[in-house]
Amino acid sequence: MTELSLRGLTKRFGRLTAVEDVTLDIPDGTFVCLLGPSGCGKTTLLRLLAGLESPSEGRIMVAGEDQTAVMPEKRDFGMVFQSLALFPHLSVAENIAYPLTIRGRPKSEARKRVEELLDLVQLSGLGDRRIHQLSGGQRQRVAIARGLAIDPRVFLLDEPLSALDANLREHMQVELRQLQQRLGVTTIVVTHDQKEALTMADMVIVMDEGRVQQIGSPMEIYRDPANAFVAGFIGTSNLLPCTLEAGGRIEVLGYRFEADAADRIKAEPGTGLILSVRPEDVQLAAPGEGLSAKVIFIRDLGESIQYVLDHDGQDIIALYAPSARPDIDLGDDVGVTFSPGKRVVFPA
Ligand code: ATP
């Protein structure tokens, strides 16, 4: 069953449209990452879902029921804010119990639920501590436990891990994902970190300028980007000017090749198009083969080796696994080809 549905959801602030005509369905139990650059409308969309903003147009439905006009506390959505918004004057247990307290749930019920949640987020025994007596990761867990206190229908988190250092952040990504899988709760996490989105999500929603650019699994978004924005925003892509000839030949910087049946051609034949190729799909060849280029930079990244190539001022990036390292040095002239089936052509 489709749990959460948005229909034409739009939010305007004066003349600025922060969220524009968002229509999508999120199946029950899905882990969704809302991904996009700063200012693209992610937080506004999350706040609309939580009921903290009211839409200019459109509807929010949960299990077929219209929630658009329902007050935030009646939606039964859990929320974790970017700032965490924990109360310093309350203990850990009181913080976690807060959503139950304001809903007037009996003290005994709240106490039992807090114990369960402390156990769930691995903070058992720390219920009496104050917030300032906790580490960053522990505070994060308190905020997550508080968001889950009411056993929400939908769990919303706004950049929940952004304040943590890289190691703890990766650890918490796994922890959050495991917790979500155990509970099966539909979860929507706002992030501007594509790696975070690709590691955690079942479904990634890529936004730009208030509009949804693509919805798909991490693999679909990475392998089959809907447009040049998504290709450039997710991972690294070489975006090269190209021409698509009638009959399916592609010309890029003077190099012509037949498109493969598995290449994704998303434009009509014409000039001024964009060829998108991932660095791992760029092949170095002998000079004279493919596109001519010079190696201007080589960097050993540990798990891969990066080559920066120059063709008449146009950079092209190639990535090789250390085991497949080609016998090529800085300053060498090389040929460059692109793996058949891995090439995407977009309108500019
Ligand atoms: P970030 O990653 O930087 O938090 P975001 O993708 O979450 O960005 P939003 O916070 O949703 O972006 O903002 C989208 C646009 O709406 C921005 O241009 C922002 O300035 C504007 N905006 C957000 N809230 C308001 C408001 N209350 N009044 C006016 N404009 C707002």
Side-chain angles (χ1 to χ4, degrees):
M1 184 177 72
T2 297
E3 177 65 23
L4 181 62
S5 300
L6 310 183
R7 290 289 170 268
L9 206 61
T10 297
K11 179 66 183 179
R12 284 183 283 268
F13 295 108
R15 272 188 302 172
L16 178 101
T17 306
V19 170
E20 190 168 358
D21 196 18
V22 173
T23 292
L24 52 89
D25 295 311
I26 297 173
D28 231 349
T30 309
F31 194 117
V32 180
C33 278
L34 213 51
L35 179 65
S38 182
C40 73
K42 307 179 293 289
T43 297
T44 303
L45 183 53
L46 202 74
R47 289 174 58 82
L48 287 168
L49 294 175
L52 301 171
E53 299 281 358
S54 50
S56 309
E57 279 168 47
R59 286 182 305 149
I60 299 166
M61 320 278 290
V62 179
E65 285 170 35
D66 198 327
Q67 301 288 311
T68 320
V70 174
M71 295 301 284
E73 62 277 12
K74 297 270 191 249
R75 287 188 192 193
D76 290 339
F77 286 12
M79 176 111 187
V80 175
F81 296 92
Q82 188 169 5
S83 63
L84 302 189
L86 296 170
F87 304 117
H89 60 287
L90 298 182
S91 69
V92 167
E94 287 163 340
N95 265 282
I96 297 174
Y98 185 76
L100 303 172
T101 313
I102 57 169
R103 284 172 174 78
R105 304 274 179 87
K107 273 214 167 94
S108 57
E109 182 196 318
R111 213 172 297 128
K112 185 158 162 284
R113 181 75 183 135
V114 168
E115 285 309 316
E116 279 171 19
L117 288 160
L118 283 171
D119 193 38
L120 190 71
V121 298
Q122 299 168 41
L123 289 178
S124 294
L126 298 187
D128 293 331
R129 290 238 188 131
R130 296 276 152 170
I131 300 304
H132 73 264
Q133 297 172 310
L134 300 178
S135 71
Q138 289 170 330
R139 285 177 207 194
Q140 211 73 44
R141 293 196 191 116
V142 174
I144 289 170
R146 187 177 65 180
L148 291 170
I150 57 162
D151 202 3
R153 302 165 87 179
V154 181
F155 191 28
L156 306 171
L157 303 99
D158 190 1
E159 305 251 5
L161 310 179
S162 61
L164 305 178
D165 66 50
N167 280 339
L168 184 56
R169 192 177 168 129
E170 272 184 33
H171 175 79
M172 289 300 292
Q173 286 168 1
V174 175
E175 208 167 277
L176 183 58
R177 177 60 173 156
Q178 287 175 328
L179 186 63
Q180 186 271 341
Q181 281 174 330
R182 213 167 341 135
L183 300 175
V185 58
T186 305
T187 298
I188 304 178
V189 177
V190 164
T191 179
H192 62 261
D193 178 344
Q194 38 138 331
K195 192 160 163 247
E196 182 162 293
L198 297 181
T199 17
M200 288 200 295
D202 299 308
M203 180 195 268
V204 179
I205 301 176
V206 184
M207 290 182 69
D208 187 37
E209 296 187 343
R211 290 191 150 266
V212 172
Q213 302 293 320
Q214 187 169 7
I215 301 175
S217 68
M219 194 55 117
E220 281 163 356
I221 299 270
Y222 186 80
R223 280 280 150 222
D224 195 8
N227 55 39
F229 171 79
V230 177
F233 187 69
I234 308 290
T236 310
S237 284
N238 292 289
L239 299 173
L240 306 171
C242 80
T243 297
L244 179 64
E245 297 169 2
R249 276 167 79 80
I250 298 170
E251 183 272 322
V252 52
L253 306 170
Y255 166 45
R256 275 192 163 76
F257 54 90
E258 282 310 319
D260 185 87
D263 287 335
R264 286 170 292 269
I265 308 296
K266 297 169 187 276
E268 294 300 318
T271 55
L273 308 177
I274 294 172
L275 175 76
S276 168
V277 189
R278 298 283 179 199
E280 60 269 31
D281 299 321
V282 174
Q283 311 294 331
L284 299 182
E289 211 178 309
L291 196 68
S292 61
K294 191 182 262 312
V295 179
I296 57 169
F297 190 66
I298 301 177
R299 185 157 63 146
D300 194 336
L301 301 169
E303 77 274 22
S304 58
I305 298 152
Q306 185 191 56
Y307 296 83
V308 181
L309 315 162
D310 170 70
H311 170 97
D312 265 354
Q314 169 74 58
D315 279 1
I316 302 168
I317 297 172
L319 269 191
Y320 272 79
S323 58
R325 183 175 198 141
D327 185 18
I328 283 170
D329 293 320
L330 194 64
D332 283 358
D333 288 313
V334 293
V336 178
T337 61
F338 309 117
S339 306
K342 300 291 174 60
R343 301 166 293 207
V344 192
V345 175
F346 297 117

